[in-house]
Amino acid sequence: MRIYALAVYLFLYLPIGIIALFSFSAGRSASQMQGFSLQWYGKALGNPFVVDALKTSASVAFTSAVLASVFGTMAALALTGMRGRLRVLFDGMIYVAVMIPGIVIGIATLIALVTVFGAVNPWLEPLTGWKLSMGFGSLVGAHVLFTMSLVIILVRARIEGMDRALIEASSDLGAGPIATFRQVTLPMLAPAIFAGFLLSFTFSFDDFIIAFFVAGPQTTLPIYIFSSIRRGVTPEINAIGTMVMAASLAVLIVAQLTLRRGKPDAH
């Protein structure tokens, strides 16, 4: 079993390690190590198209993560008090949103947006002079739809592990629902909400499939990388991929540590 596990990990991570290694090549070949150099990292960070794509991805990811954290927390709190078949239905919908392939979400979101734009724009444009179109808003909306499920799952798991006696004690001491939520519930949920924010940011920042369908004129970093490799892979692309991988890994580690530290102590 150890040999099998080692083979699986090598199959998954060896190609990533090779890309990271070749990103330090001093030559122009993306598949040969010709000396050691950091020049491709400098060229990638000095490329205005890369910087613009990075800013777009970061803006979309941050906005999506904030909205997903807010709406996901609200939904998790609402679902906690729900019972019976209705809760089973909503639970199924949440997990389906996580498991469904990204290409299905991308196509479905594209069709839904095109349909809405076609129905609204004939009325909106004559009145306001502008119309709805694909772009930043469609990217954020599509990413919020599938990252919100991650937040709901994390926050609900945290809610189920909370000590209800603290909430009841707050009510017995005269605190209202809003004060109880602000002073007791929210601090206890904060680690899960923050972890959900980080995961939502990572998933949105790294997404290519859904963004490819709904980005419109916007160019995110994954879309830029895809467009660039169609002309050939260079060490610059390896450098960009390595930096994105390192940043994503760092965010995931922080999210995992946040969840672990936020777990209630066993009594």
Side-chain angles (χ1 to χ4, degrees):
M1 291 297 295
R2 292 181 179 177
I3 296 176
Y4 175 77
L6 179 61
V8 171
Y9 279 110
L10 286 176
F11 176 78
L12 291 175
Y13 295 109
L14 185 59
I16 298 177
I18 292 175
I19 290 176
L21 176 63
F22 288 160
S23 68
F24 296 101
S25 175
R28 301 189 62 86
S29 175
S31 58
Q32 294 181 2
M33 193 65 185
Q34 301 172 343
F36 182 87
S37 175
L38 297 174
Q39 63 173 328
W40 298 109
Y41 287 88
K43 290 184 178 180
L45 296 175
N47 188 332
F49 297 105
V50 174
V51 174
D52 289 342
L54 177 61
K55 290 179 179 179
T56 300
S57 289
S59 300
V60 171
F62 180 79
T63 307
S64 301
V66 170
L67 294 177
S69 299
V70 173
F71 295 145
T73 302
M74 295 170 61
L77 292 171
L79 290 173
T80 301
M82 192 175 295
R83 296 292 184 272
R85 296 180 177 178
L86 190 60
R87 175 166 179 170
V88 175
L89 174 62
F90 278 101
D91 285 344
M93 294 173 63
I94 291 171
Y95 287 104
V96 165
V98 176
M99 296 183 296
I100 196 169
I103 190 171
V104 176
I105 298 178
I107 294 174
T109 306
L110 174 63
I111 295 174
L113 290 175
V114 170
T115 303
V116 171
F117 294 166
V120 173
N121 283 337
W123 300 87
L124 184 64
E125 190 172 8
L127 294 175
T128 63
W130 61 279
K131 60 181 180 179
L132 300 175
S133 61
M134 298 291 181
F136 185 85
S138 60
L139 275 170
V140 170
H143 285 176
V144 169
L145 286 176
F146 82 91
T147 56
M148 189 171 66
S149 300
L150 300 174
V151 179
I152 294 175
I153 293 173
L154 292 176
V155 174
R156 283 186 58 186
R158 177 65 174 169
I159 292 175
E160 293 175 358
M162 286 172 51
D163 187 357
R164 292 287 180 177
L166 296 176
I167 299 177
E168 295 174 359
S170 177
S171 300
D172 293 340
L173 292 174
I178 297 179
T180 299
F181 174 78
R182 181 170 53 86
Q183 299 176 4
V184 180
T185 306
L186 185 59
M188 296 177 68
L189 295 180
I193 297 173
F194 182 63
F197 169 84
L198 293 177
L199 288 177
S200 299
F201 182 92
T202 303
F203 274 69
S204 176
F205 187 87
D206 294 343
D207 173 67
F208 164 74
I209 298 177
I210 298 176
F212 182 78
F213 285 96
V214 301
Q218 298 288 335
T219 300
T220 63
L221 190 59
I223 292 178
Y224 173 81
I225 294 174
F226 175 77
S227 302
S228 298
I229 62 176
R230 296 177 67 180
R231 299 189 298 268
V233 180
T234 65
E236 181 181 355
I237 299 299
N238 290 343
I240 296 173
T242 302
M243 288 188 289
V244 171
M245 178 192 64
S248 301
L249 184 61
V251 171
L252 291 175
I253 291 175
V254 172
Q256 185 64 28
L257 293 176
T258 302
L259 283 175
R260 287 187 177 182
R261 292 181 180 179
K263 288 182 179 179
D265 297 331
H267 297 286

